[in-house]
Amino acid sequence: MDLEGSIFRLSGTANKFTVLGCKTLAYIGDTDNITSYTAVCGATCKDGNLSLLTNGSCEGIGCCRTAIPRGLENYRVWFKSFSTRRCSYAALVEASNFTFSSTYLSSSAFVDAYGGRAPLVVDWAIGTLQGETCESARAKPESYPCVSNDSLCVDSPIGRGYFCKCKKGYQGNPYLPYGCKGRFFYLFQVRLVSLLHKT
């Protein structure tokens, strides 16, 4: 996957580099050169015995997960399998949307479960391509997007760019005038709706 030149980055907090297999070692990197890998993960099976695997557990026995660095724009995977009797996979996967199953190592169940495309999460920010920050965005009031009175500009944790959010105690859409509303507003709105439904 290659997001270079876009406003998106592979989420370093929501995704994990995930390796499935017995005697499988995999690398993930952001170039075509294997020596530039950014993370490595290995999975093994005790004596090749799949009955010892624990469904739901991804701690190195049949399944391994590890973090990736923040701000990756693309990724390539290389893996080395020391066994040709079992299925081996390596992919960047949304951590909260993945549960290991021992059937992944003896069938096409992993590929079938996700239609050949494991789910992953991308982060985004405004001004990513221009390398903007909140400071540079505020200097252009005609195009400054954090227009709600109760919104904040936050420099992106993924590297370049920024995004808007509502101040603490407020929720809504910071990109709209008066889009951030206080909790009192939402409590009043919920009470009013429930009163209208009772009548």
Side-chain angles (χ1 to χ4, degrees):
M1 173 172 276
D2 191 346
L3 300 173
E4 197 166 342
S6 78
I7 63 169
F8 300 105
R9 300 292 176 266
L10 298 163
S11 175
T13 55
N15 299 315
K16 297 286 185 197
F17 180 48
T18 305
V19 176
L20 307 172
C22 289
K23 297 182 180 179
T24 302
L25 184 65
Y27 307 85
I28 185 172
D30 59 355
T31 69
D32 286 328
N33 184 349
I34 190 169
T35 61
S36 71
Y37 67 88
T38 57
V40 64
C41 207
T44 188
C45 302
K46 186 171 175 138
D47 301 324
N49 188 346
L50 296 183
S51 67
L52 299 175
L53 299 175
T54 304
N55 288 329
S57 174
C58 191
E59 298 177 4
I61 309 299
C63 180
C64 174
R65 290 194 299 192
T66 192
I68 62 166
R70 70 182 178 101
L72 279 183
E73 296 178 341
N74 55 59
Y75 83 95
R76 309 285 187 273
V77 170
W78 304 270
F79 68 95
K80 181 164 186 154
S81 178
F82 298 100
S83 171
T84 56
R85 297 180 357 201
R86 307 260 187 250
C87 300
S88 295
Y89 303 98
L92 193 57
V93 179
E94 179 185 7
S96 65
N97 199 10
F98 173 79
T99 304
F100 173 69
S101 171
S102 61
T103 61
Y104 292 165
L105 304 188
S106 60
S107 69
S108 62
F110 177 71
V111 174
D112 297 342
Y114 299 109
R117 296 175 181 254
L120 61 80
V121 175
V122 294
D123 291 326
W124 65 276
I126 301 167
T128 304
L129 300 177
Q130 299 81 14
E132 289 189 24
T133 63
C134 288
E135 184 179 346
S136 64
R138 280 190 209 99
K140 298 182 264 179
E142 69 284 352
S143 62
Y144 184 63
C146 306
V147 295
S148 179
N149 290 340
D150 297 304
S151 66
L152 299 170
C153 184
V154 179
D155 286 322
S156 174
I158 62 171
R160 302 173 302 228
Y162 63 93
F163 60 90
C164 306
K165 73 176 194 175
C166 293
K167 291 179 181 175
K168 187 172 183 164
Y170 292 83
Q171 58 188 28
N173 188 339
Y175 302 99
L176 295 176
Y178 310 106
C180 294
K181 309 285 186 200
R183 287 190 186 141
F184 175 76
F185 173 81
Y186 284 102
L187 290 174
F188 174 75
Q189 193 175 29
V190 168
R191 280 216 181 278
L192 182 60
V193 168
S194 69
L195 285 173
L196 290 174
H197 284 291
K198 288 181 181 177
T199 56

